[in-house]
Amino acid sequence: MNSFIRNQFPILHQNVNGKPLIYFDNAATSQKPLAVINAIKDYYEHYNSNIHRGAHHLAQIATEKYEDARKTIAQHINASEQEINFVRGTTEAVNLVAISYGRKFIKEGDEIIVSEMEHHSNIVPWQMLCEEKGATLRVIPITDSGEIIFEEYLKLLSEKTKIVSIAYISNALGTIHPVKEVISEAHKVGAVVFIDGAQALPHKKIDVKELDCDFLGFSGHKVFAGTGIGILYGKEILLEAMNPYMGGGEMIKTVSFAGTTYNDLPYKFEAGTPHIEGGISLGAAFTYINELGLDNISVYEDELLEYGTSRFFEVEGLRLVGTAKEKASVISFLVDDIHPYDLGVLLNEQGIAIRTGHHCCQPLMDRLKIEGTCRASFAFYNTKEEIDATVSALKRAVKILS
Amino acid sequence: MQKSIAEIEDEIVEEFELFDEQMDKYEYIIDIGKKLPALDSKYQTDDFLVKGCQSKVWLHAYEKEGQLFFEADSNTAITKGIVALLVRVLSGQHPKEILNTSLIFIDKINLRAHLSSQRSNGLSSMIVKMKAYANVYV
Ligand SMILES: Cc1ncc(COP(=O)(O)O)c(C=O)c1O
């Protein structure tokens, strides 16, 4: 089973610094299966063309494939096609909502809530909006184990709360937040909820209707598709109410100097020639993971997490950063007072790719009073053998550094 | 007698030739770092911080009878080893020689290629900072 899957990922079959590559930086970006690589290749070799415009043959195929991808993505998260907006990634999704929704609906004195462990891209756009509008950013505190303190969240909610924005899964620690409860409590005070799904889509089946989130953003490159493409899902009624984000081609119905009318959803938020092969690659990626089955993926990744966690503890002086009860396949750790960067370099020297640093979560690092962590994040194409090899490599690195 | 930059570089290249494996080179670099005398904490401030390093490096220099002396520290073991090598080569030299050297040993011990680009930038920044100090006293 696993060698079959690994054969779908050509990049995994190479040596790095003389050792077989072990890629444990999946939370930063995922590798791409042949199904995705071939979809991109196919686009450029056979039907590269601008979409929604030309009446000619290639333009028709390109438009069809791009819109098919939108359909696949919509079905995958149980949304309608009008609610699926192609964007560059999670970062653009947050910014789009902060600008198009925020500028229109946020007023002085309003409050926006995020958690203490958000990625910078789910903090800074809201800070900018608050500054512009005289609104206030409130922060849900977390426990030492890396879970949000739900009672504190409830205390922050009030009729002033207009937006709650939180990650489904933390990139730095792997914590799975109770987003369903977060959403239903926010709705009780009339706030809308943005879910940062960057780390969730690769691991979990998400049904936006069941979650009842108002917005969901995610990045294609983290779900086995190409870079530079992502999705903003929004409830149709909200997207309709928002102003366009950028002006240009595609997003208009008619243009005249007397006044311009905007296109219907989803094109209203898609100004300019889009990332056509990116969108197509994202459709291909979801088709691929649905063939494998996200349930199978989750079960296997949980196994890797459990195995990895117990084996990592064999490294003397290792401690986990983030020990939430509900966790995705991410192990963030420190070893004694060794700087994460030293471990990263010495693992790289042995062919192993992990991430070291603050993981774009400086407020979280401040809260935990650390500079950063080492983070190993697993995908379904990783193996227990790779974990074994990493534990040996870690032991060797620690020995050198102690 | 103060050895010349070229002489010290040759020594270092010879020492590194003993190692076939990159990991052993790192171990050696880290050991060199461990032996670097700690930098007085009054110099571990932003004024002495080398910009462009992912890890923190502090560099302090002082002149004595025409020679420039360096002291350094870092919060990571590998960078500390690297800066210790630079200190070993450049500390005690005349500012003019520091300005003129191209530090050929770095390529010869195959250091740069195996350090990530960010780290390489850090290495370049350290050298730039040391040369900038030299420029003040030349
Ligand atoms: C939780 C989370 N949010 C947002 C982002 C930003 O994603 P992107 O850089 O693809 O826009 C990331 C990526 O690291 C992430 O992990």
Side-chain angles (χ1 to χ4, degrees):
Chain A
M1 167 79 173
N2 210 274
S3 73
F4 169 75
I5 287 177
R6 289 181 70 83
N7 283 337
Q8 304 288 314
F9 291 82
I11 204 171
L12 298 176
H13 306 276
Q14 63 174 299
N15 282 358
V16 167
N17 292 324
K19 300 273 164 47
L21 165 66
I22 294 177
Y23 186 77
F24 280 170
D25 196 17
N26 294 286
T29 201
S30 61
Q31 300 304 345
K32 322 303 171 198
L34 283 171
V36 166
I37 296 168
N38 289 337
I40 296 170
K41 198 161 162 264
D42 192 37
Y43 169 75
Y44 281 116
E45 284 184 353
H46 300 295
Y47 62 94
N48 168 47
S49 190
N50 211 332
I51 58 171
H52 298 143
R53 302 169 192 198
H56 59 77
H57 180 70
L58 296 187
Q60 282 170 8
I61 303 179
T63 304
E64 214 167 275
K65 297 263 191 187
Y66 188 70
E67 290 306 325
D68 276 353
R70 194 193 304 273
K71 208 176 292 174
T72 303
I73 297 157
Q75 278 165 3
H76 184 83
I77 62 169
N78 193 21
S80 75
E81 286 158 56
Q82 291 89 280
E83 295 169 321
I84 298 297
N85 306 278
F86 282 115
V87 292
R88 268 163 51 213
T90 312
T91 304
E92 190 175 27
V94 181
N95 279 281
L96 198 163
V97 174
I99 291 171
S100 287
Y101 183 88
R103 285 217 181 125
K104 188 158 177 187
F105 295 108
I106 298 302
K107 295 183 185 63
E108 195 176 340
D110 285 348
E111 293 183 355
I112 296 171
I113 297 179
V114 297
S115 92
E116 204 169 13
M117 59 194 304
E118 296 310 309
H119 191 280
H120 295 161
S121 65
N122 194 24
I123 297 175
V124 182
W126 305 119
Q127 281 179 323
M128 289 161 70
L129 174 64
C130 285
E131 200 162 302
E132 185 180 320
K133 292 290 182 175
T136 307
L137 192 65
R138 310 293 301 265
V139 182
I140 311 169
I142 61 160
T143 63
D144 291 337
S145 62
E147 291 164 305
I148 58 163
I149 303 172
F150 207 81
E151 306 80 71
E152 296 296 325
Y153 167 57
L154 295 180
K155 282 189 217 156
L156 290 177
L157 286 170
S158 74
E159 74 285 354
K160 285 189 200 154
T161 313
K162 291 297 169 327
I163 300 174
V164 175
S165 191
I166 186 168
Y168 199 136
I169 297 179
S170 149
N171 62 308
L173 308 183
T175 308
I176 303 175
H177 294 303
V179 286
K180 203 165 173 202
E181 291 73 19
V182 168
I183 293 165
S184 71
E185 292 299 332
H187 285 169
K188 285 182 193 164
V189 299
V192 298
V193 182
F194 181 98
I195 297 296
D196 170 352
Q199 296 296 335
L201 272 287
H203 305 292
K204 279 182 103 60
K205 185 84 187 165
I206 289 184
D207 179 328
V208 292
K209 297 241 160 56
E210 195 219 299
L211 269 186
D212 198 23
C213 57
D214 301 286
F215 299 102
L216 168 76
F218 60 90
S219 303
H221 69 94
K222 292 187 202 274
V223 272
F224 318 104
T227 51
I229 191 76
I231 294 296
L232 168 67
Y233 156 83
K235 283 181 180 165
E236 193 169 345
I237 181 171
L238 295 173
L239 295 174
E240 288 287 7
M242 286 155 60
N243 289 333
Y245 168 57
M246 287 195 286
E250 290 268 339
M251 54 74 71
I252 46 84
K253 220 173 234 161
T254 59
V255 179
S256 81
F257 289 109
T260 290
T261 55
Y262 303 132
N263 205 339
D264 298 329
L265 292 172
Y267 311 112
K268 178 171 147 188
F269 295 104
E270 295 181 357
T273 299
H275 186 6
I276 304 169
E277 82 279 19
I280 291 168
S281 82
L282 188 50
F286 279 127
T287 303
Y288 176 76
I289 52 179
N290 284 329
E291 275 163 17
L292 292 179
L294 265 168
D295 289 341
N296 298 331
I297 289 174
S298 293
V299 169
Y300 180 68
E301 287 178 346
D302 285 348
E303 224 177 284
L304 284 181
L305 175 66
E306 197 175 316
Y307 182 75
T309 304
S310 71
R311 291 247 32 212
F312 272 35
F313 273 125
E314 286 173 26
V315 178
E316 216 167 303
L318 183 141
R319 63 183 190 281
L320 294 184
V321 182
T323 50
K325 273 187 233 73
E326 299 289 331
K327 256 185 78 173
S329 51
V330 171
I331 301 180
S332 231
F333 64 93
L334 287 167
V335 182
D336 291 329
D337 57 357
I338 296 175
H339 197 284
Y341 206 73
D342 286 323
L343 281 177
V345 171
L346 293 185
L347 286 184
N348 176 53
E349 209 47 64
Q350 301 174 81
I352 300 163
I354 61 158
R355 177 76 174 266
T356 60
H358 53 60
H359 316 296
C360 295
C361 294
Q362 284 180 4
L364 171 64
M365 298 299 140
D366 290 346
R367 159 66 180 84
L368 299 174
K369 297 189 177 66
I370 53 180
E371 258 185 68
T373 74
C374 301
R375 181 188 70 186
S377 50
F378 311 129
F380 56 82
Y381 42 69
N382 290 126
T383 65
K384 290 185 182 172
E385 290 72 33
E386 289 180 314
I387 291 172
D388 294 339
T390 301
V391 170
S392 306
L394 259 176
K395 285 180 182 168
R396 186 162 178 208
V398 170
K399 195 160 154 241
I400 290 175
L401 288 162
S402 306
Chain B
M1 242 311 265
Q2 170 67 46
K3 288 181 198 149
S4 73
I5 290 179
E7 282 167 341
I8 304 171
E9 285 190 295
D10 284 345
E11 274 177 20
I12 293 174
V13 171
E14 233 169 78
E15 288 163 22
F16 274 81
E17 272 167 2
L18 295 173
F19 307 114
D20 304 325
E21 246 215 276
Q22 203 66 24
M23 280 295 274
D24 296 328
K25 286 187 191 171
Y26 273 107
E27 185 161 8
Y28 191 59
I29 290 171
I30 289 161
D31 278 339
I32 292 170
K34 282 177 188 161
K35 292 184 195 121
L36 186 70
L39 180 67
D40 194 321
S41 61
K42 72 177 177 214
Y43 297 122
Q44 298 196 21
T45 64
D46 284 352
D47 289 343
F48 297 92
L49 199 62
V50 179
K51 302 251 161 28
C53 288
Q54 189 174 325
S55 41
K56 287 186 177 143
V57 177
W58 300 273
L59 256 174
H60 170 245
Y62 60 92
E63 190 248 12
K64 212 170 138 190
E65 292 159 12
Q67 290 164 300
L68 195 57
F69 292 87
F70 291 103
E71 301 172 317
D73 212 332
S74 171
N75 64 342
T76 78
I78 294 168
T79 314
K80 191 164 171 178
I82 291 165
V83 77
L85 281 175
L86 294 175
V87 168
R88 181 170 153 197
V89 175
L90 298 180
S91 192
Q93 305 292 347
H94 293 285
K96 208 163 147 205
E97 270 135 35
I98 294 171
L99 279 176
N100 287 338
T101 177
S102 59
L103 294 169
I104 189 80
F105 83 99
I106 294 169
D107 289 328
K108 285 200 181 152
I109 65 174
N110 199 2
L111 203 61
R112 208 189 293 266
H114 276 263
L115 299 170
S116 74
S117 58
Q118 263 168 327
R119 171 75 64 172
S120 277
N121 290 339
L123 181 61
S124 315
S125 310
M126 287 180 230
I127 297 168
V128 167
K129 179 110 177 168
M130 290 169 113
K131 292 205 176 203
Y133 275 124
N135 204 28
V136 173
Y137 293 104
V138 74

